[in-house]
Coordinates of all heavy atoms in Angstrom, one line a residue:
M1 N 174.0 94.2 209.3 CA 174.0 93.1 208.3 C 175.4 92.4 208.5 O 176.3 93.0 208.5 CB 173.7 93.6 206.9 CG 173.7 92.5 205.9 SD 173.5 93.0 204.3 CE 172.1 94.1 204.3
R2 N 175.3 91.0 208.6 CA 176.4 90.1 208.5 C 176.6 89.5 207.2 O 175.7 89.2 206.5 CB 176.1 89.0 209.6 CG 176.6 89.3 210.9 CD 176.6 88.2 211.8 NE 177.4 87.0 211.5 CZ 177.1 85.8 211.9 NH1 176.4 85.6 212.9 NH2 177.9 84.9 211.4
F3 N 177.9 89.3 206.9 CA 178.2 88.4 205.8 C 178.4 87.1 206.1 O 179.1 86.7 207.0 CB 179.4 89.1 205.2 CG 179.3 90.5 204.5 CD1 179.7 91.5 205.2 CD2 178.7 90.6 203.2 CE1 179.4 92.8 204.7 CE2 178.6 91.8 202.8 CZ 178.9 92.9 203.4
V4 N 177.8 86.1 205.4 CA 177.9 84.7 205.6 C 178.6 84.1 204.5 O 178.2 84.3 203.4 CB 176.4 84.0 205.9 CG1 176.6 82.6 206.0 CG2 175.7 84.8 206.9
R5 N 179.7 83.3 204.7 CA 180.3 82.6 203.7 C 179.5 81.5 203.2 O 178.9 80.6 203.9 CB 181.6 82.0 204.3 CG 182.6 83.2 204.7 CD 183.9 82.6 205.1 NE 184.5 82.0 203.9 CZ 185.8 81.5 203.8 NH1 186.5 81.6 205.1 NH2 186.3 81.1 202.9
V6 N 179.5 81.3 201.8 CA 178.7 80.2 201.3 C 179.6 79.0 201.2 O 179.0 78.0 201.3 CB 178.3 80.6 199.8 CG1 177.6 79.6 199.0 CG2 177.3 82.0 199.9
I7 N 180.9 79.1 201.0 CA 181.7 78.0 201.0 C 181.9 77.7 202.4 O 182.5 78.4 203.2 CB 183.0 78.3 200.2 CG1 182.7 78.7 198.8 CG2 184.0 77.0 200.4 CD1 183.8 79.1 197.9
Q8 N 181.5 76.5 202.9 CA 181.7 76.0 204.2 C 182.7 75.0 204.4 O 182.7 74.0 203.7 CB 180.4 75.5 204.7 CG 179.2 76.5 204.6 CD 177.9 76.0 205.2 OE1 177.7 74.7 205.3 NE2 177.1 76.9 205.6
T9 N 183.5 75.2 205.4 CA 184.6 74.3 205.8 C 184.5 74.2 207.3 O 183.9 75.0 208.0 CB 186.0 74.7 205.5 OG1 186.3 75.9 206.1 CG2 186.1 74.9 204.0
P10 N 185.0 73.2 207.9 CA 184.9 73.1 209.4 C 185.5 74.2 210.2 O 184.8 74.6 211.2 CB 185.7 71.8 209.8 CG 186.0 71.1 208.4 CD 185.9 72.1 207.3
S11 N 186.3 74.9 209.7 CA 186.9 76.1 210.4 C 186.2 77.3 210.1 O 186.4 78.3 210.9 CB 188.4 76.1 210.1 OG 188.6 76.4 208.9
S12 N 185.5 77.6 209.1 CA 184.9 78.9 208.7 C 183.5 79.0 208.6 O 183.0 80.0 208.2 CB 185.6 79.4 207.5 OG 185.2 78.5 206.4
S13 N 182.7 77.9 208.9 CA 181.4 77.9 208.4 C 180.4 78.5 209.6 O 180.6 77.9 210.8 CB 180.9 76.6 208.1 OG 181.6 76.1 207.2
P14 N 179.5 79.4 209.3 CA 178.4 79.7 210.3 C 177.6 78.5 210.5 O 177.2 77.8 209.5 CB 177.8 80.9 209.7 CG 178.1 80.7 208.2 CD 179.4 80.0 208.1
G15 N 177.2 78.2 211.7 CA 176.2 77.1 211.9 C 176.9 75.6 212.0 O 176.2 74.8 212.3
I16 N 178.3 75.7 211.8 CA 179.0 74.4 211.9 C 180.0 74.5 213.0 O 180.9 75.5 213.0 CB 179.7 74.0 210.5 CG1 178.6 73.7 209.5 CG2 180.5 72.8 210.8 CD1 179.1 73.4 208.2
D17 N 180.0 73.6 213.9 CA 181.0 73.6 215.0 C 182.4 73.6 214.4 O 182.8 72.7 213.8 CB 180.7 72.5 215.9 CG 181.6 72.5 217.1 OD1 182.4 73.2 217.2 OD2 181.4 71.6 218.0
P18 N 183.3 74.6 214.7 CA 184.7 74.6 214.1 C 185.5 73.7 214.8 O 186.6 73.3 214.2 CB 185.2 76.1 214.4 CG 184.2 76.6 215.5 CD 183.0 75.9 215.4
T19 N 185.1 72.9 215.8 CA 185.9 71.9 216.3 C 185.6 70.6 215.7 O 186.4 69.6 216.0 CB 185.6 71.7 217.9 OG1 184.2 71.4 218.1 CG2 185.9 73.1 218.6
L20 N 184.7 70.6 214.7 CA 184.5 69.3 213.9 C 185.7 68.9 213.2 O 186.5 69.7 212.6 CB 183.3 69.4 213.0 CG 182.0 69.5 213.6 CD1 180.9 69.6 212.4 CD2 181.6 68.2 214.2
G21 N 186.0 67.6 213.2 CA 187.1 67.1 212.3 C 186.5 67.0 210.9 O 185.4 67.2 210.7
H22 N 187.5 66.7 210.0 CA 187.0 66.7 208.6 C 186.0 65.6 208.2 O 185.1 65.9 207.6 CB 188.4 66.5 207.7 CG 189.2 67.6 207.9 ND1 189.1 68.9 207.6 CD2 190.6 67.6 208.3 CE1 190.1 69.7 207.7 NE2 191.0 68.9 208.3
A23 N 186.1 64.5 209.0 CA 185.2 63.4 208.7 C 183.8 63.8 209.2 O 182.8 63.6 208.5 CB 185.7 62.1 209.4
A24 N 183.7 64.4 210.4 CA 182.5 64.8 211.1 C 181.8 66.0 210.1 O 180.7 66.0 209.9 CB 182.7 65.2 212.4
W25 N 182.8 66.9 209.7 CA 182.2 68.0 208.8 C 181.6 67.3 207.5 O 180.5 67.8 207.1 CB 183.3 68.9 208.5 CG 183.0 69.9 207.4 CD1 182.2 70.9 207.5 CD2 183.2 69.7 205.9 NE1 182.0 71.6 206.2 CE2 182.7 70.8 205.3 CE3 184.0 68.8 205.2 CZ2 182.8 71.0 204.0 CZ3 184.1 69.0 203.9 CH2 183.5 70.1 203.2
A26 N 182.4 66.4 206.9 CA 181.9 65.8 205.7 C 180.5 65.2 205.9 O 179.7 65.2 205.1 CB 183.0 64.9 205.1
E27 N 180.4 64.4 206.9 CA 179.2 63.8 207.3 C 178.1 64.7 207.5 O 177.0 64.5 206.9 CB 179.5 62.9 208.6 CG 178.1 62.1 209.0 CD 177.7 61.0 207.9 OE1 178.5 60.4 207.2 OE2 176.4 60.9 207.8
A28 N 178.3 65.8 208.3 CA 177.2 66.8 208.5 C 176.9 67.5 207.2 O 175.8 67.8 207.0 CB 177.7 67.8 209.4
T29 N 177.8 67.7 206.3 CA 177.5 68.5 205.0 C 176.9 67.6 203.9 O 176.0 68.0 203.3 CB 178.9 69.1 204.6 OG1 179.4 69.9 205.5 CG2 178.6 69.9 203.3
Y30 N 177.5 66.4 203.8 CA 177.1 65.6 202.7 C 176.3 64.2 203.0 O 175.9 63.5 202.2 CB 178.3 65.2 201.7 CG 179.0 66.4 201.2 CD1 180.2 66.9 201.7 CD2 178.4 67.1 200.1 CE1 180.6 68.0 201.1 CE2 178.9 68.2 199.5 CZ 180.1 68.7 200.1 OH 180.6 69.9 199.6
G31 N 176.4 63.9 204.3 CA 175.7 62.6 204.8 C 174.1 62.4 204.3 O 173.7 61.3 204.3
A32 N 173.5 63.5 204.1 CA 172.1 63.5 203.8 C 171.9 63.5 202.1 O 170.7 63.6 201.8 CB 171.3 64.7 204.3
C33 N 172.9 63.4 201.4 CA 172.8 63.3 199.9 C 172.1 62.1 199.7 O 172.4 61.0 200.0 CB 174.1 63.5 199.3 SG 174.7 65.2 199.3
A34 N 171.1 62.2 198.7 CA 170.3 61.0 198.1 C 170.9 60.8 196.7 O 170.6 61.4 195.8 CB 168.9 61.3 198.0
L35 N 171.8 59.7 196.8 CA 172.4 59.4 195.4 C 171.9 58.0 195.0 O 172.7 57.5 194.1 CB 173.9 59.4 195.7 CG 174.6 60.7 196.2 CD1 176.2 60.6 196.3 CD2 174.2 61.9 195.2
G36 N 170.8 57.5 195.5 CA 170.4 56.2 195.1 C 170.9 55.0 195.6 O 170.4 53.9 195.5
D37 N 171.9 55.1 196.4 CA 172.6 54.0 197.1 C 173.4 54.5 198.2 O 174.1 55.4 198.0 CB 173.5 53.2 196.0 CG 174.0 51.9 196.6 OD1 174.3 51.8 197.8 OD2 174.1 51.0 195.8
P38 N 173.2 54.0 199.3 CA 174.0 54.5 200.6 C 175.5 54.3 200.4 O 176.2 55.2 200.9 CB 173.4 53.7 201.7 CG 172.6 52.5 201.1 CD 172.3 52.9 199.7
R39 N 175.9 53.4 199.6 CA 177.4 53.3 199.4 C 177.8 54.6 198.7 O 179.0 54.9 199.0 CB 177.6 52.1 198.6 CG 177.4 50.8 199.4 CD 177.5 49.5 198.6 NE 176.5 49.5 197.6 CZ 176.4 48.6 196.7 NH1 177.2 47.5 196.7 NH2 175.5 48.7 195.7
R40 N 177.1 55.0 197.8 CA 177.5 56.3 197.1 C 177.6 57.4 198.0 O 178.5 58.3 197.9 CB 176.5 56.6 195.9 CG 176.5 55.7 194.8 CD 175.6 56.2 193.7 NE 175.5 55.1 192.7 CZ 174.4 54.6 192.1 NH1 173.3 55.3 192.6 NH2 174.3 53.8 191.4
T41 N 176.7 57.5 199.0 CA 176.7 58.7 200.0 C 177.9 58.4 200.8 O 178.6 59.3 201.0 CB 175.4 58.7 200.8 OG1 174.2 58.8 199.8 CG2 175.4 59.9 201.7
R42 N 178.2 57.2 201.3 CA 179.3 57.0 202.1 C 180.7 57.4 201.3 O 181.6 58.0 201.8 CB 179.6 55.5 202.5 CG 178.6 55.2 203.8 CD 178.9 53.9 204.3 NE 178.9 52.7 203.4 CZ 177.9 52.0 203.0 NH1 176.8 52.3 203.7 NH2 178.0 51.0 202.3
R43 N 180.8 57.0 200.1 CA 181.9 57.3 199.2 C 182.0 58.8 199.1 O 183.1 59.3 199.2 CB 181.7 56.7 197.8 CG 182.8 57.1 196.8 CD 184.1 56.4 197.3 NE 184.1 55.0 197.2 CZ 184.9 54.2 197.6 NH1 186.1 54.6 198.2 NH2 184.8 52.9 197.5
L44 N 181.0 59.6 198.9 CA 181.0 61.1 198.8 C 181.6 61.6 200.1 O 182.3 62.5 200.2 CB 179.6 61.6 198.6 CG 179.4 63.1 198.5 CD1 180.4 63.8 197.4 CD2 178.0 63.5 198.3
V45 N 181.0 61.2 201.2 CA 181.4 61.7 202.6 C 182.9 61.4 202.7 O 183.8 62.3 203.2 CB 180.6 60.9 203.7 CG1 181.3 61.4 205.1 CG2 179.2 61.5 203.7
Q46 N 183.4 60.2 202.4 CA 184.9 59.9 202.7 C 185.6 60.8 201.6 O 186.8 61.2 202.1 CB 185.1 58.3 202.3 CG 184.4 57.5 203.2 CD 184.4 56.0 202.7 OE1 184.7 55.7 201.6 NE2 184.0 55.0 203.5
T47 N 185.2 61.0 200.4 CA 186.0 61.7 199.6 C 186.1 63.2 199.9 O 187.2 63.9 200.0 CB 185.4 61.7 198.1 OG1 185.5 60.3 197.7 CG2 186.2 62.5 197.2
A48 N 184.9 63.8 200.4 CA 184.9 65.1 200.8 C 185.7 65.3 202.1 O 186.4 66.3 202.2 CB 183.4 65.5 201.2
A49 N 185.7 64.4 203.0 CA 186.6 64.4 204.2 C 188.1 64.5 203.8 O 189.0 65.2 204.4 CB 186.4 63.3 205.2
A50 N 188.4 63.6 202.9 CA 189.9 63.6 202.4 C 190.3 65.0 201.7 O 191.4 65.6 201.9 CB 190.1 62.5 201.4
L51 N 189.2 65.4 200.9 CA 189.6 66.7 200.3 C 189.6 67.9 201.3 O 190.5 68.8 201.1 CB 188.7 67.0 199.1 CG 188.8 66.1 197.9 CD1 187.5 66.3 197.0 CD2 190.0 66.4 197.2
A52 N 188.9 67.9 202.3 CA 188.8 68.9 203.3 C 190.1 68.9 204.0 O 190.5 70.0 204.4 CB 187.5 68.8 204.1
A53 N 190.7 67.7 204.3 CA 191.8 67.5 205.1 C 193.1 68.1 204.3 O 194.1 68.5 205.0 CB 192.1 66.1 205.4
T54 N 193.0 68.0 203.0 CA 194.0 68.4 202.1 C 193.5 69.3 201.0 O 193.6 68.7 199.8 CB 194.9 67.2 201.6 OG1 194.0 66.3 201.1 CG2 195.6 66.6 202.8
P55 N 193.0 70.4 201.1 CA 192.3 71.2 200.1 C 193.3 71.6 199.0 O 192.8 72.0 197.8 CB 191.6 72.2 200.7 CG 192.5 72.5 202.0 CD 193.0 71.1 202.4
A56 N 194.5 71.7 199.1 CA 195.4 72.3 198.0 C 195.9 71.2 197.3 O 196.7 71.5 196.3 CB 196.5 73.1 198.8
V57 N 195.5 69.9 197.3 CA 196.2 68.9 196.5 C 195.1 68.2 195.6 O 193.8 68.5 195.7 CB 196.7 67.7 197.3 CG1 197.8 68.3 198.2 CG2 195.7 67.1 198.1
S58 N 195.6 67.6 194.5 CA 194.6 66.9 193.6 C 193.8 65.8 194.3 O 194.2 65.3 195.3 CB 195.3 66.5 192.4 OG 196.1 65.3 192.9
L59 N 192.9 65.3 193.6 CA 192.1 64.2 194.1 C 193.0 62.8 194.3 O 193.0 62.3 195.3 CB 191.0 63.9 193.2 CG 189.9 62.8 193.6 CD1 189.2 63.1 194.8 CD2 189.0 62.5 192.5
S60 N 193.8 62.7 193.4 CA 194.7 61.5 193.4 C 195.8 61.6 194.5 O 196.3 60.6 195.1 CB 195.6 61.3 192.1 OG 196.4 62.4 191.9
R61 N 196.0 62.9 195.0 CA 196.9 63.0 196.2 C 196.1 63.0 197.5 O 196.8 62.6 198.4 CB 197.7 64.2 196.1 CG 198.8 64.2 194.9 CD 199.8 65.4 194.9 NE 200.6 65.5 193.8 CZ 201.9 65.1 193.9 NH1 202.5 64.8 195.0 NH2 202.6 65.1 192.8
A62 N 194.9 63.5 197.4 CA 194.1 63.4 198.7 C 193.8 62.0 199.0 O 193.6 61.7 200.2 CB 193.0 64.3 198.4
L63 N 193.5 61.2 198.0 CA 193.0 59.8 198.2 C 194.2 58.9 197.9 O 194.4 58.4 196.8 CB 191.9 59.5 197.3 CG 190.6 60.3 197.6 CD1 189.5 60.1 196.6 CD2 190.1 60.1 199.0
T64 N 194.9 58.6 198.8 CA 196.3 57.8 198.6 C 195.9 56.3 198.4 O 196.8 55.6 197.9 CB 197.2 58.0 199.8 OG1 196.4 57.7 201.0 CG2 197.7 59.5 199.8
D65 N 194.8 55.9 198.9 CA 194.5 54.5 198.7 C 193.9 54.4 197.3 O 192.9 54.9 197.0 CB 193.4 54.0 199.7 CG 192.8 52.6 199.5 OD1 193.6 51.8 198.8 OD2 191.8 52.3 200.1
P66 N 194.5 53.4 196.5 CA 194.0 53.2 195.1 C 192.6 53.0 194.9 O 191.9 53.4 194.0 CB 194.9 52.2 194.4 CG 196.1 52.3 195.3 CD 195.7 52.6 196.7
K67 N 192.1 52.1 195.9 CA 190.6 51.7 195.8 C 189.8 52.9 196.2 O 188.7 53.0 195.5 CB 190.3 50.5 196.9 CG 191.0 49.3 196.6 CD 190.8 48.2 197.5 CE 191.5 46.9 197.2 NZ 191.3 46.0 198.2
A68 N 190.2 53.8 197.0 CA 189.3 55.0 197.4 C 189.4 55.9 196.1 O 188.3 56.5 195.8 CB 189.9 55.6 198.6
L69 N 190.5 56.0 195.5 CA 190.5 56.9 194.3 C 189.6 56.4 193.3 O 188.9 57.2 192.6 CB 192.0 57.1 193.8 CG 192.1 57.9 192.5 CD1 191.8 59.4 192.9 CD2 193.6 57.8 192.2
K70 N 189.8 55.1 192.9 CA 188.9 54.4 192.0 C 187.4 54.6 192.3 O 186.6 54.9 191.4 CB 189.2 53.0 191.7 CG 188.5 52.4 190.6 CD 189.1 51.0 190.3 CE 188.3 50.3 189.0 NZ 189.0 49.0 188.8
G71 N 187.1 54.5 193.6 CA 185.7 54.6 193.9 C 185.2 56.1 193.8 O 184.0 56.3 193.4
A72 N 186.0 57.0 194.0 CA 185.6 58.5 193.8 C 185.5 58.6 192.3 O 184.5 59.3 191.9 CB 186.7 59.3 194.4
Y73 N 186.4 58.1 191.4 CA 186.2 58.3 190.0 C 184.9 57.6 189.6 O 184.2 58.2 188.8 CB 187.4 57.7 189.3 CG 188.6 58.7 189.2 CD1 189.9 58.0 189.4 CD2 188.5 60.0 189.2 CE1 191.0 58.8 189.5 CE2 189.6 60.8 189.3 CZ 190.8 60.2 189.5 OH 191.9 61.0 189.5
R74 N 184.5 56.5 190.1 CA 183.3 55.7 189.8 C 182.1 56.6 190.1 O 181.2 56.7 189.4 CB 183.3 54.4 190.4 CG 184.0 53.4 189.6 CD 183.7 51.8 189.9 NE 183.5 51.8 191.6 CZ 184.5 51.3 192.3 NH1 185.6 50.9 191.9 NH2 184.3 51.1 193.6
L75 N 182.2 57.2 191.4 CA 181.1 58.0 191.8 C 180.8 59.1 190.9 O 179.7 59.5 190.6 CB 181.5 58.6 193.3 CG 180.4 59.6 193.9 CD1 179.2 59.0 194.1 CD2 181.0 60.1 195.2
C76 N 181.9 59.8 190.5 CA 181.8 61.0 189.6 C 181.2 60.6 188.3 O 180.5 61.4 187.6 CB 183.1 61.6 189.2 SG 183.9 62.3 190.7
H77 N 181.2 59.3 187.8 CA 180.6 58.9 186.6 C 179.2 58.4 186.6 O 178.6 57.9 185.7 CB 181.5 57.9 185.8 CG 182.8 58.6 185.3 ND1 184.0 58.6 186.1 CD2 183.0 59.2 184.2 CE1 184.8 59.3 185.4 NE2 184.2 59.6 184.1
Q78 N 178.6 58.4 187.9 CA 177.3 57.9 188.1 C 176.3 59.0 187.8 O 176.3 60.1 188.2 CB 177.0 57.5 189.7 CG 177.8 56.3 190.0 CD 177.3 55.1 189.3 OE1 176.1 54.9 189.3 NE2 178.2 54.2 188.9
P79 N 175.2 58.6 187.0 CA 174.3 59.6 186.7 C 173.6 60.2 187.9 O 173.2 61.4 187.9 CB 173.3 58.8 185.8 CG 174.1 57.8 185.2 CD 175.1 57.4 186.3
A80 N 173.5 59.4 188.8 CA 172.8 59.9 190.1 C 173.7 60.9 190.9 O 173.1 61.6 191.8 CB 172.4 58.8 191.0
A81 N 174.9 60.9 190.5 CA 175.8 61.9 191.2 C 175.9 63.1 190.4 O 177.1 63.7 190.2 CB 177.1 61.2 191.6
S82 N 174.8 63.7 190.1 CA 174.9 65.0 189.4 C 175.3 66.1 190.3 O 175.3 66.0 191.5 CB 173.5 65.3 188.8 OG 172.6 65.6 189.9
A83 N 175.8 67.2 189.7 CA 176.1 68.4 190.5 C 174.9 68.8 191.5 O 175.2 69.1 192.6 CB 176.4 69.6 189.6
A84 N 173.8 68.9 190.9 CA 172.6 69.1 191.8 C 172.4 68.2 193.1 O 172.3 68.6 194.1 CB 171.4 69.2 191.0
A85 N 172.7 66.9 192.7 CA 172.5 65.9 193.9 C 173.6 65.9 194.8 O 173.5 65.9 196.0 CB 172.5 64.5 193.2
L86 N 174.8 66.2 194.3 CA 176.0 66.3 195.1 C 175.9 67.6 196.1 O 176.5 67.6 197.2 CB 177.3 66.4 194.4 CG 177.6 65.0 193.6 CD1 178.9 65.1 192.8 CD2 177.7 63.8 194.6
T87 N 175.2 68.6 195.6 CA 175.3 69.8 196.5 C 174.0 70.2 197.1 O 174.0 71.1 197.8 CB 175.7 71.0 195.5 OG1 174.7 71.1 194.5 CG2 177.2 70.9 194.9
A88 N 173.0 69.2 196.9 CA 171.6 69.5 197.4 C 171.6 69.6 199.1 O 171.1 70.6 199.6 CB 170.7 68.5 197.1
A89 N 172.3 68.7 199.7 CA 172.4 68.8 201.2 C 173.2 70.0 201.6 O 172.8 70.7 202.7 CB 173.0 67.5 201.7
H90 N 174.2 70.3 200.9 CA 175.1 71.5 201.3 C 174.3 72.8 201.0 O 174.4 73.6 201.9 CB 176.4 71.4 200.4 CG 177.3 72.5 200.6 ND1 178.1 72.7 201.8 CD2 177.6 73.7 199.8 CE1 178.7 73.7 201.6 NE2 178.5 74.4 200.4
R91 N 173.6 72.8 200.0 CA 172.7 74.0 199.8 C 171.7 74.3 200.8 O 171.5 75.3 201.3 CB 172.1 74.1 198.4 CG 173.0 74.2 197.2 CD 172.3 74.5 195.9 NE 171.2 73.6 195.7 CZ 171.3 72.4 195.1 NH1 172.3 71.9 194.5 NH2 170.1 71.7 194.9
A92 N 171.1 73.1 201.2 CA 170.0 73.1 202.2 C 170.7 73.6 203.6 O 170.1 74.4 204.3 CB 169.4 71.8 202.5
Q93 N 171.8 73.1 203.9 CA 172.5 73.5 205.2 C 172.9 75.0 205.1 O 172.7 75.7 206.1 CB 173.7 72.6 205.2 CG 174.5 72.9 206.7 CD 175.7 72.0 206.7 OE1 176.7 72.2 205.9 NE2 175.8 71.1 207.6
T94 N 173.3 75.4 203.9 CA 173.7 77.0 203.8 C 172.5 77.7 203.9 O 172.5 78.8 204.7 CB 174.4 77.1 202.4 OG1 175.6 76.3 202.5 CG2 174.8 78.5 202.3
L95 N 171.3 77.4 203.3 CA 170.2 78.2 203.5 C 169.6 78.1 204.9 O 169.1 79.2 205.3 CB 169.0 77.6 202.5 CG 169.4 77.8 200.9 CD1 168.4 77.1 200.1 CD2 169.4 79.3 200.7
G96 N 169.8 77.0 205.6 CA 169.4 77.0 206.9 C 170.2 77.9 207.9 O 169.8 78.7 208.7
S97 N 171.5 77.9 207.6 CA 172.4 78.7 208.3 C 172.0 80.2 208.2 O 172.0 81.1 208.9 CB 173.9 78.6 208.0 OG 174.2 77.3 208.4
A98 N 171.8 80.6 206.8 CA 171.6 81.9 206.4 C 170.1 82.4 206.9 O 170.0 83.6 207.1 CB 171.6 82.0 204.8
S99 N 169.3 81.5 207.0 CA 167.8 81.9 207.4 C 167.8 82.5 208.8 O 166.9 83.1 209.1 CB 166.8 80.7 207.2 OG 167.2 79.7 208.2
G100 N 168.7 82.2 209.5 CA 168.7 82.6 210.9 C 169.4 84.0 211.1 O 169.5 84.4 212.2
E101 N 169.9 84.5 210.1 CA 170.5 85.8 210.1 C 169.5 86.9 209.6 O 168.7 86.6 208.8 CB 171.7 85.8 209.2 CG 172.8 84.7 209.4 CD 173.5 85.0 210.9 OE1 173.7 86.3 211.2 OE2 173.8 84.1 211.5
P102 N 169.8 88.1 210.1 CA 168.8 89.2 209.8 C 169.0 89.7 208.4 O 168.1 90.2 207.7 CB 169.3 90.3 210.8 CG 170.6 90.0 211.3 CD 170.7 88.5 211.2
G103 N 170.2 89.5 207.8 CA 170.4 89.9 206.4 C 171.6 89.1 205.8 O 172.6 88.9 206.6
V104 N 171.6 88.7 204.6 CA 172.5 87.8 204.0 C 172.9 88.5 202.6 O 172.0 88.7 201.9 CB 172.1 86.4 204.0 CG1 173.2 85.6 203.2 CG2 171.7 85.8 205.4
V105 N 174.2 88.6 202.4 CA 174.7 89.0 201.2 C 175.6 87.8 200.5 O 176.4 87.3 201.2 CB 175.4 90.2 201.2 CG1 176.1 90.6 199.7 CG2 174.7 91.4 201.6
V106 N 175.2 87.3 199.4 CA 175.9 86.2 198.8 C 176.7 86.7 197.7 O 176.2 87.4 196.8 CB 174.9 85.0 198.3 CG1 175.7 84.0 197.7 CG2 174.1 84.5 199.4
M107 N 178.0 86.5 197.7 CA 178.9 87.0 196.7 C 179.5 85.7 195.8 O 179.7 84.7 196.3 CB 180.1 87.6 197.3 CG 179.6 89.0 197.9 SD 181.1 89.9 198.4 CE 180.5 90.4 200.1

């Protein structure tokens, strides 16, 4: 039995090419999110890429452009950007990766 990490990043994810850059990883992970407007999905991908590049810092430090930061805050306040909607594509990707394994333990 293999252990599969549920939290996926470009360097540690089963099923994700570890040579992907942060932007490509964010697109692969969140690009399929249906948030009611393609601009919201683009904003999510941009924000995820910035956070993946600098995971130890706050949102305001990861997004140094004031317009990007304000856009991320606006995205967070959209009813369409629920936790379920923001993580749906990521969950599907994780389940797809896990389904190819003979045994999966989620911790």
Side-chain angles (χ1 to χ4, degrees):
M1 180 182 308
R2 267 186 58 193
F3 291 96
V4 178
R5 293 184 72 169
V6 174
I7 298 172
Q8 296 181 340
T9 62
S11 62
S12 65
S13 301
I16 296 179
D17 183 352
T19 62
L20 284 178
H22 299 294
W25 168 81
E27 180 64 38
T29 302
Y30 297 105
C33 283
L35 302 177
D37 186 319
R39 293 172 295 181
R40 290 183 191 136
T41 303
R42 279 195 305 273
R43 176 69 65 192
L44 173 61
V45 169
Q46 292 166 352
T47 301
L51 289 171
T54 53
V57 301
S58 66
L59 188 61
S60 61
R61 289 188 188 255
L63 299 171
T64 56
D65 176 16
K67 291 178 184 179
L69 180 60
K70 186 173 183 176
Y73 285 141
R74 279 195 317 260
L75 174 65
C76 292
H77 288 93
Q78 291 293 318
S82 66
L86 294 177
T87 59
H90 179 70
R91 285 192 319 267
Q93 186 181 61
T94 301
L95 289 171
S97 296
S99 68
E101 299 296 328
V104 177
V105 176
V106 178
M107 292 187 226

